[in-house]
Amino acid sequence: MENNSPKRPSFEEVYMNFAQLISGRATCKRLQVGTVITTTDFRKVLAVGYNGNASGLPNTCDRDEQGNCGCLHSEENAAINCDAPRQTEKYVFVTHMPCPACAKRLINLGHVKRVIYQNSYRSQEALDLLQAVGIEVQQYQKK
């Protein structure tokens, strides 16, 4: 019997696509970034985030200065939105490699086991920070 069912996407593909989709809500003028935090068994989405201004403020950057536009980062918003207990093991899917400050935020989120990112960032410092505390980091390769 032939298996004619469509190709089933992996959970990594599903959540990276979700991160890409949620990045469409970003209000930063320079870069749209999305983050999805899941359980390590992929059964629950714990939080999502995208970059932009704080709730209630204008949906635009505060300044035009690159790297200092005033927007909250997607990982920062996802960490703020994540109300799962610290002991819950987590995977983080993000469209772009975290900056060093967001890497530290993810470390402090607690029990992040893996960070999967799609696009590189201008600094590789976050990789060293995450790996120094035992968080696995991998670049997502679309199949």
Side-chain angles (χ1 to χ4, degrees), residues 46-90:
L46 302 174
V48 298
Y50 49 89
N51 55 331
N53 217 334
S55 296
L57 295 178
N59 283 327
T60 186
C61 299
D62 295 335
R63 298 171 289 283
D64 288 329
E65 183 182 345
Q66 181 176 339
N68 190 26
C69 69
C71 287
L72 296 170
H73 290 192
S74 73
E75 304 93 327
E76 187 172 20
N77 276 322
I80 289 167
N81 292 331
C82 188
D83 60 1
R86 282 183 58 82
Q87 65 268 22
T88 301
E89 293 185 343
K90 303 163 189 79

Side-chain angles (χ1 to χ4, degrees), residues 92-103:
V92 177
F93 295 85
V94 61
T95 57
H96 294 73
M97 181 192 310
C99 71
C102 283

Side-chain angles (χ1 to χ4, degrees), residues 19-43:
Q20 191 66 47
L21 184 63
I22 201 77
S23 76
R25 295 215 21 99
T27 57
C28 180
K29 295 181 212 173
R30 185 180 70 83
L31 187 64
Q32 286 67 50
V33 181
T35 299
V36 177
I37 301 174
T38 72
T39 55
T40 55
D41 65 2
F42 302 109
R43 293 183 184 273

Side-chain angles (χ1 to χ4, degrees), residues 103-117:
K104 290 178 181 181
R105 289 178 182 101
L106 294 175
I107 291 166
N108 277 357
L109 185 58
H111 280 81
V112 171
K113 296 299 180 189
R114 184 181 304 153
V115 173
I116 304 101
Y117 69 93

